[in-house]
Amino acid sequence: MDLFEQFKEKIQKQPQTLVFPEGEDERVLGATVRLAQDQLVKPILLGDQSKIESVAQAHKWSIDQLTIIDPKQYPSADLSAMEAAIVARRNGKTDADTAAKWVKDVNYFGTMLVQMGKADGMVSGATHPTGDTVRPALQLIKTAPGSTHISGAFIMQKGDQRYVFADAAINIDVNAATMAQIAIQSAHTAKVFDLEPKVAMLSFSTKGSAKSAEVDKVVEATHLAKEMAPELADQIDGELQFDAAFVPKVGQAKAPGSKVAGQANVFIFPSLEAGNIGYKIAQRLGGFEAIGPILQGLAKPVSDLSRGANEEDVYKVAIITAAQALVQ
């Protein structure tokens, strides 16, 4: 079954409430109308009611199933409660005046709806840069237990082939501890996508075939990941070159006895540079669909759209976000 058909089956049984800070955007509105009609998500759109209605009327879309909140018209008592919650959550790092400014920003407002339990997740980024989506999430939702960093994964799909590539979106240069966290986060993401994770810690060396500080980092990251998540110890291996991780015969020759070599479906890159190049090669030369980036390591799901996203992209990312919310 197609990945999104699988997700639809799951989330239709328990539709999640997602907030979309960019509710006036045509792509976002079109996607949320479909999500509501398909009974997949309960959308909350942020924006000016009249502007949203105008876009809907131009396309003859019914918005009866959507909840629309204009932060500028939000009841003062509820706004004060939100501001107080920000101050409390920031534990002295943010004062009341700053909190009052933050709630005027749709991404901070939407993030607080998630943090306060009024929404299960958030999808933004259609008109905002990544930082505007990620910063409020890190400041207010914060990382999940056991994580000090977030990361960005791509699901690479072609036919019945499905793989996880990370980090390919967030951390420019990673040390061993961060790489280990990314491996564990990506293993959990794989499970969301119905993959039993086999995690390859990638390098230009396999089991000591080359010597350098870069190789040592991957070796150390592999050990740390196994220590941090002993339940995944047999499902993580490194350091492995990509061919050793992916091709069974090469894996047997270069890493005999490994339970991951030649069978990997989760690939952890040693830097953002490598991960970004790698996923785009698979996408452009290999013909894989790249789904993401999927933010990993947050306590509650927040997804960042590309500003070049179309309506279908918004629709699919929302489905993924709802699926993440079901298991968090």
Side-chain angles (χ1 to χ4, degrees):
M1 185 184 294
D2 175 79
L3 172 65
F4 289 98
E5 291 304 317
Q6 291 179 356
F7 279 168
K8 285 179 181 180
E9 280 196 1
K10 288 182 180 180
I11 65 179
Q12 274 181 330
K13 297 174 183 176
Q14 193 176 340
Q16 302 293 291
T17 299
L18 300 183
V19 58
F20 298 82
E22 301 152 326
E24 297 169 14
D25 186 271
E26 179 181 320
R27 299 162 295 172
V28 174
L29 183 55
T32 53
V33 167
R34 290 170 56 196
L35 289 162
Q37 288 175 343
D38 294 344
Q39 299 183 324
L40 298 171
V41 165
K42 299 174 184 176
I44 299 174
L45 272 64
L46 304 186
D48 183 282
Q49 176 96 23
S50 61
K51 290 181 180 178
I52 292 172
E53 288 176 351
S54 177
V55 175
Q57 288 170 4
H59 291 275
K60 299 182 179 179
W61 291 331
S62 170
I63 57 173
D64 293 346
Q65 298 181 70
L66 308 181
T67 298
I68 299 172
I69 297 176
D70 184 346
K72 295 177 182 178
Q73 304 298 325
Y74 206 54
S76 57
D78 293 337
L79 205 59
S80 296
M82 184 178 286
E83 292 167 7
I86 288 175
V87 173
R89 183 64 173 162
R90 294 288 289 159
N91 195 26
K93 294 180 181 179
T94 299
D95 60 22
D97 288 342
T98 301
K101 292 177 183 177
W102 280 5
V103 296
K104 295 177 182 177
D105 180 285
V106 289
N107 281 308
Y108 277 99
F109 190 99
T111 300
M112 281 307 296
L113 291 182
V114 177
Q115 176 56 29
M116 297 174 77
K118 296 182 180 182
D120 300 302
M122 184 175 92
V123 177
S124 188
T127 62
H128 292 90
T130 294
D132 288 0
T133 300
V134 173
R135 191 180 306 108
L138 284 173
Q139 291 172 323
L140 300 172
I141 293 174
K142 304 186 180 182
T143 55
S147 292
T148 58
H149 292 73
I150 65 169
S151 60
F154 282 86
I155 305 301
M156 308 303 294
Q157 178 176 266
K158 183 170 73 170
D160 60 358
Q161 299 179 75
R162 199 175 300 165
Y163 306 101
V164 179
F165 282 21
D167 184 356
I170 301 294
N171 299 284
I172 293 175
D173 189 22
V174 297
N175 58 25
T178 303
M179 189 175 180
Q181 286 187 35
I182 294 168
I184 296 166
Q185 293 168 359
S186 300
H188 291 308
T189 294
K191 291 180 179 179
V192 172
F193 286 83
D194 292 328
L195 286 174
E196 186 60 28
K198 293 185 181 295
V199 183
M201 309 292 274
L202 296 178
S203 175
F204 58 85
S205 169
T206 298
K207 300 298 182 180
S209 64
K211 304 292 183 183
S212 78
E214 290 81 4
V215 173
D216 293 342
K217 179 183 78 172
V218 179
V219 172
E220 182 185 356
T222 304
H223 291 316
L224 287 173
K226 290 173 180 284
E227 289 176 1
M228 292 162 63
E231 72 280 7
L232 295 170
D234 290 339
Q235 296 168 275
I236 300 173
D237 200 9
E239 87 283 12
L240 296 171
Q241 292 163 284
F242 187 84
D243 58 350
F246 187 70
V247 183
K249 286 187 178 179
V250 179
Q252 291 170 10
K254 291 188 173 185
S258 172
K259 296 182 180 179
V260 173
Q263 308 171 61
N265 53 20
V266 179
F267 300 94
I268 308 303
F269 293 85
S271 70
L272 178 60
E273 180 179 46
N276 189 268
I277 292 169
Y279 101 79
K280 289 186 176 180
I281 288 174
Q283 181 185 37
R284 301 300 181 179
L285 292 184
F288 277 81
E289 179 185 9
I291 302 167
I294 297 162
L295 296 185
Q296 307 179 132
L298 285 168
K300 298 181 180 182
V302 171
S303 293
D304 176 40
L305 296 162
S306 165
R307 279 176 284 175
N310 58 30
E311 180 186 306
E312 185 66 15
D313 295 329
V314 180
Y315 181 83
K316 287 183 174 179
V317 169
I319 288 172
I320 291 170
T321 308
Q324 287 179 294
L326 276 175
V327 299
Q328 287 191 312

